[in-house]
């Protein structure tokens, strides 16, 4: 059970920083609260008393969503459901809707935020690898001498390990910015133990852009989670595939590349098997959605993995 | 093909009511004012639909409408013993007791009306709130008839006890008569196995179950559908894990239950082989519904991908690793054969 | 802690009240406004029974700190049938038979309402996705989907509203008819109260202190600090039991609270009744128990070894029950068989997971009758046992069954009603205990995990000539229904087949694990997994179709069972025939022929779930000019 003395709802960044300062060392930041309440229960943290809970979900800076031609800016308090009910967002970030539809359920998506998911940094987090594939950057803010000071870093560097990020004690995650990729095909592969409310064992986000004939890979982004302490951008595989013709031979070679990265604490062999299959499935799905020339992908490959 | 389909089947049998021990249940019934009825018995509704079944039986036997049957609470100080919810016993034990008690209450009323109308009791019919004597103009409502009976000093009540004729088991060879009613059944499962992840989806189950006599077919289907999904959970995803006596699965985040997206389409086939002993012919279905499901699914997995799961649950990891092992073994044997 | 001033419009009513900052919307709605339709099935956002609309968006109120709902418009399930008339969706649930125990149903009705509000033309796959956050343990979901589709069609005009009415029944012949369930209206509207929804004037709150050790001697329990706390009205331990302690379904080996030693993690050790849940928590933390851990055993095979820790003095070999079945001579039978196959099958411990966690109230009435109100599957037996335990005549003990939100055998054991009775007697006030989900999972019965070694000998023509089965089950720390489970499993293990030589032994073993107890199908599920898997393995070797091998061995009318009982009519062949026909089964030996068979993929199965049935479709990238 979670108890507190104060539940504070700041209406601005300044107000939030004031509250954080006056409750230094005895507060916890809450966005959607969908992770915090289940955490304070028997079998996990048990009964927890936090003197001040600071709910940042209503701060305007954390709620804005803007979709530009090249960049998308998402407030940290953007609920997961936006990727399913905002068609502009879905169009600009092709892998995110597929990630969102696998995330928990409708009720939780309405409340859970991308910021909360990122800062929680669960090794099983799905949202983080998907945003990483969209070249996400986090914007962090803190109060320095009465002024709001911001800094940015890449999301895959922001997450430093299981349940650990580079967020300083006096900092807030304000927004995530990533590439708008409307011409890309997106895919998101995930496996757990059932088909809803699924905690993932392995998940892979794929984004692919093909040339106008749908035969050559102009750009590819891949990010994977569940194989180690933090999500990983598969840069070596991207470098290998970029510029190549879309072909079964190259895809098969690419699929074998990340398996050596699997360093999870448990179920290593299973994850290795799944990673290889997901690479093929994810790339094929993304290629199809990117407008691949149907004759290019060998039908046996598609049949074997799609 | 990444996704492979297969089918499997399994059969089952089950005993109805308490095992190797004499079972018993009692009921009190009253034909009440205004064409309604009261049924009081130690009935334990846990979602199986027994309250509705009893209302139907009472209505059918006495000639009132089920929506006018009021069933008393299960209260040890207010209701006669009908024992517990379990052993798929309530339709059998309590249904039969209520039927017998209803017949007694009806008889009390009919005997009075036979005198009032000066007809043979056998010619009196009751149905859905009406009562009449054949080949006469006598035709009134049950409410009016009960009023008539009461004005003559008769309250139409009835009671009954229904027991089973069973024995214990011999301690050496187990011989004995543990039940007096048995049911039989079988199921077919159709699955799809994803050979990339090892996930098994159960797409369809056909389930044929003998229930003796279906009082409420929709309720029987509900029991079959629910039982199958519970079994599926054990077969594919649920696992209460203990290590040194401590569990790591103390909540629903870690203890994985089937959701709306995990369940098959269930096609129920109701078989009726009436019980010759009880007055109604009913038997039961609550538990038998989940007995053949897991082996049907495991046999279907074998049909699809050639792996036999002998340790539950058949998680994606278990299935995928078994497929890989089989593939490696086959490759090894093929290589050997080629030499 | 200072209160929050909470303002909202709830079910059309403007509310302005003080709330505690840590309250969740669920607590406020249930405790402060008595709107108990929405439930706390798990408290962790996993089950959906708490789903409510906040500004028109469906959310899980167990995850909503109350401040998040400030100045919002909220609809609970009570809003749907506010005038007393059920909504179209609720009527559809009634017509389709979609409600069983009813506990998940208010939340499910809310999710279904949200689904049809979002898409009044949602197809079945989209409906399933939108219900993905709501767990049902009773129905298997099928009739819930049927209900939502029915409501959708009535609401969008494809079907007339008359389809929701009760079917006409001719001639008062109500048997064999789909009469709508009489308890559904109370369940879909959320008006039916379960024990955790009930309150009584002056009621005290109860919580239980549970053992953190799997096996330990209790050296001492000091309740003095807890008793002295303001707001605490009663603290009990085994010392408060006035009569003969010990209850159980078959053997009375379980004390109301641990006596002398604890035998599993989660066993009740003490209980407190106090004015508020927070005070109870503090009091529990103030009870000092000194444990001396004992060697523990967690594996049934180890428990059987000489020298293993002994759980109960009366059972020094740790065997709760052994049931043997013997027919003919199996050794001779195997020698005479053409094919002998042996395999080991294991099954795991399973949690009942009824959506309603255990809860109960107790009070002593004006006539001195100790009264327990709880979702109890066996009030008859419990009254017997409790009367002896609290040393009262049976006429002074009363068990009232409250509506049960799912049982499946898990609410058959009297594991908390004794404590409630003792606290009601000690405080002379009404008391209520509501389990958390975690408490329910760690402390109550599980399905027996099993390890079964099965050997079958068959003749070439498919007849089973000999069957030998040894099943070892982990019975956990107390007997519960282990004896009955071993017995039923043994009787049914060989399947509905005529087999001349049978040797079956089922063993229930004591260990320091969570107790195993009654669970729907009582051991038959475990043995059928073995026997029916095995039959297919043998059928493959003999080249026989699975239906065929079962027909060859099937019992028929007048068959004699393995307990030497003669049956009357046997419907197995009829069931097999009907099943084969209805499923369109294509005959063939089970040689893993899935890629060759042609009876797959008919229209009476569901499509595989791929997720994304209701995508906002991103436009495809335009082709180049």
């Amino acid at each position: 059970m979670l108890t507190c003395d104060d539940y504070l709802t700041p209406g601005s960044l300044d107000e939030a920083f004031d509250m954080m300062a006056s409750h230094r060392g005895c507060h916890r930041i809450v966005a959607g609260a969908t992770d915090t309440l289940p955490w304070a229960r028997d079998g996990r943290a048990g009964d927890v008393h936090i003197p001040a809970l600071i709910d940042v979900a209503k701060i305007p800076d954390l709620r804005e969503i803007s979709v530009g031609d090249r960049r998308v800016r998402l407030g940290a308090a953007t609920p997961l459901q936006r990727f399913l009910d905002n068609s502009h967002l879905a169009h600009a970030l092709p892998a995110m809707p597929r990630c969102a539809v696998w995330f928990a359920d409708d009720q939780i998506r309405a409340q859970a935020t991308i910021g909360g998911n990122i800062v929680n940094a669960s090794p099983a987090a799905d949202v983080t690898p998907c945003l990483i594939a969209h070249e996400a950057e986090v914007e962090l803010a803190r109060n320095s001498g009465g002024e709001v000071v911001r800094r940015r870093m890449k999301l895959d560097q922001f997450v430093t390990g299981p349940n650990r990020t580079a967020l300083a004690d006096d900092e807030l995650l304000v927004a995530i910015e990533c590439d708008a990729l409307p011409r890309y095909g997106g895919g998101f592969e995930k496996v757990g133990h059932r088909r809803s409310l699924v905690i993932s064992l392995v998940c892979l986000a794929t984004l692919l852009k093909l040339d106008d004939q749908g035969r050559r890979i102009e750009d590819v982004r891949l990010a994977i989670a569940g194989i180690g302490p933090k999500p990983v951008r598969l840069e070596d595989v991207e470098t290998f595939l970029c510029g190549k013709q879309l072909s079964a031979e190259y895809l098969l070679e690419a699929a074998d590349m990340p398996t050596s990265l699997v360093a999870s604490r448990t179920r290593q062999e299973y994850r290795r098997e799944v990673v290889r299959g997901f690479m093929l499935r994810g790339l094929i799905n993304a290629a199809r959605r990117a407008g691949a020339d149907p004759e290019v992908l060998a039908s046996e490959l598609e049949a074997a993995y799609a | 093909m990444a996704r492979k389909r297969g089918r499997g089947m399994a059969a089952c049998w089950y005993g109805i009511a308490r095992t190797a021990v004499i079972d018993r249940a009692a009921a009190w019934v009253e034909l009440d004012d205004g064409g309604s009825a009261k049924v009081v018995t130690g009935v334990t509704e846990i979602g199986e639909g027994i309250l509705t079944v009893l209302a139907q039986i009472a209505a059918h036997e006495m000639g009132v409408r089920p929506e006018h049957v009021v069933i008393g609470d299960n209260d040890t100080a207010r209701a006669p013993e009908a024992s517990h919810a379990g052993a798929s016993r309530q339709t059998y034990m309590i249904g039969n007791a209520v039927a017998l008690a209803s017949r007694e209450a009806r008889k009390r009323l009919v005997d009075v009306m036979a005198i009032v109308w000066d007809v043979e009791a056998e010619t009196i019919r009751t149905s859905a709130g009406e009562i009449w004597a054949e080949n006469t103009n006598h035709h009134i409502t049950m409410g009016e008839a009960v009023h008539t009976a009461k004005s003559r000093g008769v309250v139409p009540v009835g009671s009954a006890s229904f027991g089973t004729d069973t024995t214990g088991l011999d301690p050496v060879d187990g011989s004995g008569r543990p039940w007096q009613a048995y049911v039989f059944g079988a199921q077919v499962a159709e699955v799809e196995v994803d050979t990339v992840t090892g996930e098994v989806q159960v797409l369809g189950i056909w389930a044929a179950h003998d229930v003796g006599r279906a009082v409420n077919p929709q309720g029987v289907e509900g029991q079959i559908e629910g039982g199958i999904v519970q079994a599926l959970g054990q077969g594919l995803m649920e696992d209460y894990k203990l290590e040194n006596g401590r569990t790591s699965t103390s909540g629903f985040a870690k203890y994985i239950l089937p959701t709306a997206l995990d369940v098959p389409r269930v096609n129920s086939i109701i078989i009726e082989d009436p019980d010759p002993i009880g007055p109604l012919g009913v038997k039961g279905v609550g538990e038998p519904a989940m007995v053949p499901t897991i082996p049907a699914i495991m046999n279907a997995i074998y049909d699809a991908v050639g792996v036999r799961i002998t340790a539950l649950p058949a998680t994606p990891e278990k299935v995928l690793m078994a497929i890989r092992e089989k593939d490696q073994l086959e490759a090894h044997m093929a290589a050997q054969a080629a030499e | 802690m200072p209160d929050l001033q909470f303002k909202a419009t709830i079910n059309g009513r403007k509310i302005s009240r003080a709330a505690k900052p840590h309250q969740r919307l669920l607590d406020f709605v249930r405790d402060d406004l008595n709107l108990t339709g929405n439930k706390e099935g798990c408290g962790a956002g996993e089950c959906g029974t708490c789903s409510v609309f906040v500004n028109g968006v469906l959310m899980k109120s167990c995850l909503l700190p109350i401040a998040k709902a400030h100045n919002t418009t909220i609809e609970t399930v009570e809003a749907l049938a506010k005038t007393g008339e059920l909504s179209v969706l609720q009527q559809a649930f009634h017509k389709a038979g979609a409600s069983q125990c009813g506990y998940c149903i208010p939340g499910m009705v809310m999710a279904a309402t949200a689904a049809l509000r979002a898409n009044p033309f949602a197809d079945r796959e989209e409906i399933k996705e939108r219900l993905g956050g709501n767990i049902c343990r009773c129905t298997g979901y099928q009739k819930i989907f049927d209900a939502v589709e029915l409501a959708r069609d009535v609401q969008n005009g494809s079907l007339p509203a008359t389809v929701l009415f009760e079917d006409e029944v001719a001639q008062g012949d109500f048997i064999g008819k789909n009469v709508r369930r009489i308890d559904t209206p109370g369940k879909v509207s959320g008006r039916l109260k379960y024990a955790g929804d009930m309150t009584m004037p002056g009621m005290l709150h109860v919580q239980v202190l549970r053992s953190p050790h799997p096996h330990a001697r209790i050296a001492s329990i000091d309740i003095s600090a807890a008793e002295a706390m303001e707001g605490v009205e009663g603290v009990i331990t085994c010392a408060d039991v006035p009569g003969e302690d010990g209850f159980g379904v078959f053997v009375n080996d379980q004390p109301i609270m641990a006596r002398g030693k604890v035998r599993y993690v989660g066993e009740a050790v003490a209980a407190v009744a106090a004015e508020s849940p927070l005070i109870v928590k503090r009091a529990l933390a103030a009870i000092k128990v000194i444990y001396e851990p004992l060697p523990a055993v967690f594996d049934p095979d180890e428990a059987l070894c000489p020298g293993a820790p002994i759980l109960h003095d009366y059972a020094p070999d740790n065997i709760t029950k052994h049931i043997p079945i013997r027919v003919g001579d199996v050794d001779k039978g195997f020698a005479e068989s053409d094919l002998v196959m042996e395999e080991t099958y294991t099954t795991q411990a399973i949690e009942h997971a009824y959506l309603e966690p255990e809860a109960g109230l107790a009070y002593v009435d004006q006539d001195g009758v100790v009264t327990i109100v709880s979702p109890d599957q066996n009030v008859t037996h419990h009254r017997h046992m409790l009367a002896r335990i609290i040393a009262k005549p049976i006429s002074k003990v009363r068990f009232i069954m409250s509506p049960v939100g799912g049982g499946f055998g898990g609410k058959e054991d009297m594991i908390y009603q004794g404590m409630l009775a003792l606290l009601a007697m000690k405080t002379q006030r009404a008391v209520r205990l509501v389990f958390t989900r975690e408490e329910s999972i760690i402390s109550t019965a599980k399905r027996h995990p099993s390890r079964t070694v099965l050997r079958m000998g068959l003749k070439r023509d498919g007849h089973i000539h000999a069957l030998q089965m040894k099943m070892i089950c982990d019975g956990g720390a107390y007997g519960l229904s282990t004896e009955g489970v071993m017995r039923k499993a043994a009787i049914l293990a060989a399947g509905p087949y005529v087999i001349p030589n049978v040797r079956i032994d089922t063993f229930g073993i004591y260990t320091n694990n969570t107790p195993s107890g009654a669970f729907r199908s009582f051991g038959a599920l475990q043995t059928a997994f073995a026997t029916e898997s095995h039959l297919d393995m043998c059928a493959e070797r003999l080249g026989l179709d699975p239906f065929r091998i079962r027909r060859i061995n099937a019992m028929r009318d007048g068959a004699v069972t393995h307990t030497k009982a003669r049956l009357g009519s046997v419907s197995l062949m009829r069931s097999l025939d009907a099943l084969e026909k209805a499923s369109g089964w294509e005959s063939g030996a089970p040689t893993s022929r899935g890629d060759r068979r042609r009876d797959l993929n008919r229209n009476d199965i569901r499509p595989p779930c791929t997720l994304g049935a209701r995508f906002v479709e991103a436009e495809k990238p335009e082709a180049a000019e």
Side-chain angles (χ1 to χ4, degrees), chain C residues 218-448:
Chain C
I218 300 175
S220 65
I221 307 180
D222 179 1
I223 61 173
S224 54
E227 269 185 319
M229 238 178 229
E230 195 182 316
V232 171
E233 290 288 301
V235 182
I236 54 168
T237 67
C238 64
D240 289 278
V241 175
E244 201 186 306
D245 204 354
F247 67 91
V249 182
F250 288 88
V251 55
N252 294 334
D253 63 346
Q254 191 164 7
I256 297 288
M257 288 162 285
R259 185 178 286 279
K261 66 174 186 172
V262 291
R263 294 179 173 85
Y264 74 102
V265 173
E267 177 168 4
V269 173
V272 171
E275 298 285 356
S276 82
L278 278 179
I279 296 175
V280 180
K281 267 190 193 293
R282 270 186 240 127
L284 280 182
I287 297 177
K288 298 182 200 32
V289 186
I290 300 191
Y291 294 101
E292 288 161 10
L294 295 166
V297 61
F298 305 112
D299 179 284
D301 289 319
E302 282 173 32
L304 288 172
C305 291
I310 295 174
L311 267 91
H312 296 271
D313 292 339
Y314 89 90
D317 54 5
N318 284 329
I319 295 180
T320 319
K321 194 68 186 177
H322 163 224
I323 302 286
I325 304 277
R326 300 279 183 274
V327 180
D329 179 343
V330 277
D331 295 320
K332 185 153 166 287
F334 286 128
E336 291 166 351
S337 299
D338 298 318
L339 171 70
V340 177
M341 293 193 78
E342 180 172 300
E343 185 59 76
T344 301
Y345 299 88
T346 60
T347 70
Q348 75 284 46
I350 293 291
E351 157 60 34
H352 298 80
Y354 23 74
L355 270 297
E356 178 206 21
E358 288 80 355
L361 297 91
Y363 56 91
V364 182
D365 80 3
Q366 68 284 349
D367 300 320
V369 177
V370 177
T371 307
I372 320 288
V373 178
S374 66
D376 186 331
Q377 281 182 253
N378 196 346
V379 292
T380 307
H381 190 209
H382 292 184
R383 182 177 72 154
H384 259 281
M385 293 191 292
L386 188 65
R388 173 182 37 82
I389 292 168
I390 61 175
K392 288 213 177 285
I394 288 221
S395 55
K396 291 299 189 188
V397 179
R398 180 178 178 190
F399 271 79
I400 301 174
M401 189 199 87
S402 56
V404 181
F408 319 116
K411 290 173 176 162
E412 214 163 278
D413 307 300
M414 201 181 75
I415 56 144
Y416 59 97
Q417 289 89 341
M419 290 185 277
L420 282 173
L422 291 173
L423 279 168
M425 289 158 65
K426 190 162 195 176
T427 63
Q428 288 296 307
R429 288 170 66 173
V431 295
R432 186 181 81 175
L433 167 63
V434 179
F435 280 49
T436 64
R437 175 57 60 182
E438 291 80 2
E439 186 175 10
S440 175
I441 291 178
I442 71 156
S443 69
T444 70
K446 301 287 159 275
R447 187 188 289 286
H448 286 75

Side-chain angles (χ1 to χ4, degrees), chain C residues 323-596:
Chain C
I323 302 286
I325 304 277
R326 300 279 183 274
V327 180
D329 179 343
V330 277
D331 295 320
K332 185 153 166 287
F334 286 128
E336 291 166 351
S337 299
D338 298 318
L339 171 70
V340 177
M341 293 193 78
E342 180 172 300
E343 185 59 76
T344 301
Y345 299 88
T346 60
T347 70
Q348 75 284 46
I350 293 291
E351 157 60 34
H352 298 80
Y354 23 74
L355 270 297
E356 178 206 21
E358 288 80 355
L361 297 91
Y363 56 91
V364 182
D365 80 3
Q366 68 284 349
D367 300 320
V369 177
V370 177
T371 307
I372 320 288
V373 178
S374 66
D376 186 331
Q377 281 182 253
N378 196 346
V379 292
T380 307
H381 190 209
H382 292 184
R383 182 177 72 154
H384 259 281
M385 293 191 292
L386 188 65
R388 173 182 37 82
I389 292 168
I390 61 175
K392 288 213 177 285
I394 288 221
S395 55
K396 291 299 189 188
V397 179
R398 180 178 178 190
F399 271 79
I400 301 174
M401 189 199 87
S402 56
V404 181
F408 319 116
K411 290 173 176 162
E412 214 163 278
D413 307 300
M414 201 181 75
I415 56 144
Y416 59 97
Q417 289 89 341
M419 290 185 277
L420 282 173
L422 291 173
L423 279 168
M425 289 158 65
K426 190 162 195 176
T427 63
Q428 288 296 307
R429 288 170 66 173
V431 295
R432 186 181 81 175
L433 167 63
V434 179
F435 280 49
T436 64
R437 175 57 60 182
E438 291 80 2
E439 186 175 10
S440 175
I441 291 178
I442 71 156
S443 69
T444 70
K446 301 287 159 275
R447 187 188 289 286
H448 286 75
S450 68
R451 198 179 76 255
T452 300
V453 180
L454 174 60
R455 181 191 282 195
M456 248 191 221
L458 296 92
K459 298 284 195 181
R460 216 176 312 274
D461 66 3
H463 277 97
I464 306 169
H465 195 55
L467 182 147
Q468 176 173 286
M469 180 189 280
K470 182 173 176 197
M471 178 171 84
I472 307 239
C473 287
D474 182 348
Y478 289 101
L480 280 72
S481 292
T482 294
E483 176 175 330
V485 173
M486 294 308 107
R487 182 172 294 118
K488 191 165 231 170
I491 297 170
L492 297 169
Y497 308 115
V498 178
I499 306 173
N501 304 291
V502 174
R503 180 195 288 149
I504 295 170
D505 293 282
T506 57
F507 292 89
I509 311 294
Y510 280 121
T511 66
N512 292 110
N513 289 325
T514 312
S516 307
F519 199 142
R520 193 173 180 183
S521 84
F522 237 59
L525 175 146
Q526 293 92 318
T527 56
F529 169 48
T531 306
E532 294 294 316
S533 298
H534 213 78
L535 262 178
D536 257 37
M537 277 170 61
C538 297
E540 181 181 19
R541 293 281 286 272
L542 297 174
L544 290 169
D545 168 74
F547 274 86
R548 179 147 168 69
I549 195 172
R550 285 162 179 87
R551 286 195 175 99
I552 288 166
N553 292 287
M555 285 176 179
R556 287 165 165 73
D557 294 350
V560 173
T561 70
H562 318 111
T563 69
K564 304 184 179 69
R566 180 168 292 281
L567 299 178
S569 168
V570 173
S571 58
L572 181 59
M573 294 293 280
R574 251 178 88 187
S575 302
L576 290 170
D577 291 345
L579 177 65
E580 194 170 20
K581 183 148 175 272
S583 66
W585 177 273
E586 181 193 82
S587 288
T591 53
S592 182
R593 58 190 175 98
D595 52 1
R596 300 187 293 286

